[in-house]
Amino acid sequence: MEHRPRSLLPASSLLRAVGFQEVVAVDLLTQQHLRGDDRVHHRRELGAGSRGGATDVSTLSGEQHITSALDAAGDNINIVADEITIDAPIQSAGAVLAIAPVDLGRVIVLGYDENQMGGSEALYLTDASLSNIQDGFQQVVIGSDAGYNIIQIGNKNTTTDSVTFNNPLVLKAPSLGGGVYIYDNLVLTGTSSLTIHGSGNTTHIVNSDVTAGGNIDYDDSVVIVGNVTITAGTSGSGYIQVGTNS
């Protein structure tokens, strides 16, 4: 595979590919453009992080497959692809991990491996991938400011399974057509909060519980279906807000 550095990026690394891309490690100094079925095996120790800015891993289409541990040492990590598999731990203490599909309308499925929202295409973050997102991020942001994605959490045919996040979680589907469907219990551990920026149509919580160690903010309308318990904080320490902050 021919690597063609285009520019030095002291603050970030951007990898783009058409087709399948396997991220073994991220070169934090060069910008590489890959084509076809090229796979990234460009190794570099990541213990020192990206030394400022952000670590960006993105594709024009295809799959991002993270197969080696990634530690950005306090810098933000941005992963943009229509298919993402996280098979190794990723971490960056105090930073933001942002994950979004290239397709602004693509279904996003969290904690399950089947798209139950219609259509055949989806970005899946299964329980296995989510378990490799380490504690210590400032936020984990899924979706984008321009997205009109449907975000499916869990399996709509079960009522006892849980999808767990160990960091504050922000879900974004704010544009017309976007929505969030919570089918399995959603658990935010420790003091982690939940924030949903929806389109106003709508966050659905269906026969499932939402439990956060921190606050819960629904910047959206909310539809409750069946038996639902929503808990924010411990011993009355948290709050639940529905609607835009005024």
Side-chain angles (χ1 to χ4, degrees):
M1 179 177 66
E2 178 185 2
H3 294 289
R4 296 182 295 170
R6 296 288 297 277
S7 62
L8 291 179
L9 300 178
S12 66
S13 173
L14 178 62
L15 299 176
R16 295 186 180 274
V18 176
F20 181 87
Q21 179 173 343
E22 182 178 8
V23 179
V24 175
V26 180
D27 187 328
L28 298 171
L29 294 178
T30 61
Q31 177 174 324
Q32 299 177 4
H33 296 260
L34 310 174
R35 297 185 179 184
D37 293 327
D38 291 344
R39 302 187 182 192
V40 177
H41 293 282
H42 191 79
R43 292 185 177 273
R44 176 176 178 179
E45 293 297 326
L46 294 171
S50 58
R51 297 173 175 78
T55 297
D56 296 315
V57 183
S58 66
T59 63
L60 301 179
S61 64
E63 179 183 3
Q64 285 287 357
H65 192 182
I66 298 174
T67 59
S68 289
L70 171 61
D71 184 349
D75 293 327
N76 295 338
I77 300 174
N78 303 311
I79 303 175
V80 181
D82 282 338
E83 298 178 42
I84 297 171
T85 304
I86 304 173
D87 279 340
I90 57 175
Q91 61 187 347
S92 190
V96 174
L97 170 62
I99 299 174
V102 177
D103 179 357
L104 296 177
R106 194 178 187 89
V107 172
I108 301 172
V109 180
L110 306 179
Y112 195 50
D113 58 4
E114 180 184 346
N115 173 12
Q116 298 169 319
M117 299 289 96
S120 59
E121 302 296 333
L123 163 61
Y124 298 97
L125 289 173
T126 63
D127 284 331
S129 286
L130 294 177
S131 70
N132 279 310
I133 300 175
Q134 303 299 293
D135 190 8
F137 284 99
Q138 177 189 359
Q139 290 181 333
V140 173
V141 180
I142 298 176
S144 66
D145 290 335
Y148 51 95
N149 316 87
I150 297 296
I151 301 175
Q152 170 193 327
I153 300 176
N155 176 4
K156 71 177 182 180
N157 297 320
T158 63
T159 58
T160 58
D161 291 343
S162 296
V163 179
T164 301
F165 286 84
N166 299 315
N167 298 277
L169 176 64
V170 179
L171 301 177
K172 291 185 174 183
S175 296
L176 183 64
V180 177
Y181 290 78
I182 303 174
Y183 290 123
D184 280 336
N185 298 325
L186 179 59
V187 179
L188 289 301
T189 65
T191 59
S192 297
S193 59
L194 171 66
T195 303
I196 296 178
H197 297 294
S199 66
N201 189 31
T202 297
T203 295
H204 295 76
I205 308 174
V206 182
N207 287 314
S208 57
D209 298 337
V210 178
T211 304
N215 301 324
I216 297 177
D217 286 281
Y218 298 103
D219 180 14
D220 199 2
S221 56
V222 177
V223 172
I224 303 294
V225 179
N227 296 319
V228 172
T229 300
I230 303 174
T231 305
T234 58
S235 302
S237 63
Y239 70 76
I240 301 169
Q241 177 165 310
V242 178
T244 305
N245 291 328
S246 59

